[in-house]
Amino acid sequence: MITIDFDCFEITPGARVLDMGCGEGRHTAAVFDQKKGFCVAADRDESALKACRQKLAFHETAAGMTCAAWAPALTDITCTGFKTSIFDIVICSEVLEHIVDHEKAMSELTRILKPGGILAVSVPRFWPEKICWLLSDAYFNVNQGHVRIYKKKELIQKIEQNGPSLFKAHYAHSLHAPFWWLKCLVGPARTDARSVSLYHRLLVWDLMKKPFVTRFFDRLFNPVLGKSLVLYFKNRL
């Protein structure tokens, strides 16, 4: 499931891209598919990086070539260890809501970004996320430990305080908001709820087949129901 819209910025040949908090490497794989830049997949979870390697190995096989366009990095978002101004593009998707010292993380993301570079950030949108928290006390722990809910204006201000300027914003994944509300209603840790299972099958089908009907309704309802807030910044020169 790709949250960042790669049509919002250009990955130039040879560009250095960081997928910070890469998880299983969904955005790393998307950068690889662009066949233009070199992507560093960074996460503090070794098991996540292992899953990322497996995903990229699949993409290598599908492409019929050995991929030299990415590298894993075991590191923390608040202290990455990367050189200052080293990346042309930094992607940070659905990560900041997990970070206790999020202001330090934002400062670090800006420090490693080149002047004029692109920072793409996504977090859960305020009101769909708030409903999840109201429906279930267990949600923020089950969903990998959410520690805060962002308001759009607040997050933009915090990131811009470090130098980058917002140039585009949108919402994504409207089909996923009701799914998480349903999970919260039945219990986010339950695996035996038929309604949740059926909805999950729909989302997997949508992800794999990309049918026109679900793509259409997802785009149609994103401004209202989109579960993720996606922001794009350009670093100061």
Side-chain angles (χ1 to χ4, degrees), residues 3 35 41 66 71 74 76 145 148-149 156 195 201 205 209:
T3 305
K35 296 181 175 63
T66 299
L74 184 65
D76 189 278
R148 70 179 53 80
I149 307 176
I156 292 172
S195 57
R201 286 173 60 184
W205 175 73
K209 300 298 184 180

Side-chain angles (χ1 to χ4, degrees), residues 11 16 30 42 69 90 100 111 176 187 200 218-219 224 232-233:
I11 301 178
R16 290 180 178 177
V90 173
V100 175
R111 181 189 68 81
H176 289 250
H200 184 262
D218 190 52
R219 290 192 297 269
V224 179
Y232 304 86
F233 300 85

Side-chain angles (χ1 to χ4, degrees), residues 3 14 18-19 43 62 69 75 77 85-86 113 144 156 163 178 193 195 208:
T3 305
L18 173 66
D19 183 6
D43 206 292
T75 189
I77 190 173
S85 303
I86 192 172
L113 184 64
Q144 301 180 8
I156 292 172
S195 57
M208 301 302 295

